[in-house]
Amino acid sequence: MAALNATTVTTVGGLADLDAAAVAAAGGGDTAPVGDGLFLYVNNAGGATRTITVATPGTVYGHAVADATLVLAAGKRGLIPLTNVFRGATGRAAITYDAVTSVTVAVLKIGA
């Protein structure tokens, strides 16, 4: 798993090229920081639909919480909020992909 770091997107000026902040998704999955204002950006530049899964390690009253999934059609982009519900034992979110060909990802922090 590759450890993704956050790129700050300022509220004034923004980030002109989101894809420039993105890196190739790792075949074994990635980890990412979690918290307020953090989002996983995914660009599926490939020719097939891709499914991105963020593990939800916690339980509610002893019942497992379903993992979050994002299904992206070919050529589409998406965002997943990286809230504290995804915080694993390492303090980071665990992210997996059904395939990584032509998939790039970035962790974006919305900040001042």
Side-chain angles (χ1 to χ4, degrees):
M1 289 192 154
L4 301 173
N5 295 311
T7 298
T8 300
V9 178
T10 61
T11 54
V12 178
L15 186 61
D17 187 357
L18 290 177
D19 292 321
V23 297
D30 290 310
T31 66
V34 297
D36 292 339
L38 290 170
F39 294 85
L40 177 68
Y41 166 76
V42 183
N43 180 8
N44 177 14
T49 297
R50 295 288 176 240
T51 301
I52 296 84
T53 303
V54 182
T56 307
T59 61
V60 175
Y61 299 110
H63 298 282
V65 179
D67 293 340
T69 58
L70 174 65
V71 178
L72 279 180
K76 297 295 182 181
R77 295 173 176 91
L79 291 172
I80 299 173
L82 292 173
T83 63
N84 284 314
V85 72
F86 301 119
R87 184 181 305 279
T90 64
R92 296 173 66 84
I95 305 157
T96 56
Y97 315 94
D98 67 337
V100 295
T101 302
S102 300
V103 175
T104 56
V105 294
V107 176
L108 303 175
K109 171 136 180 82
I110 308 303

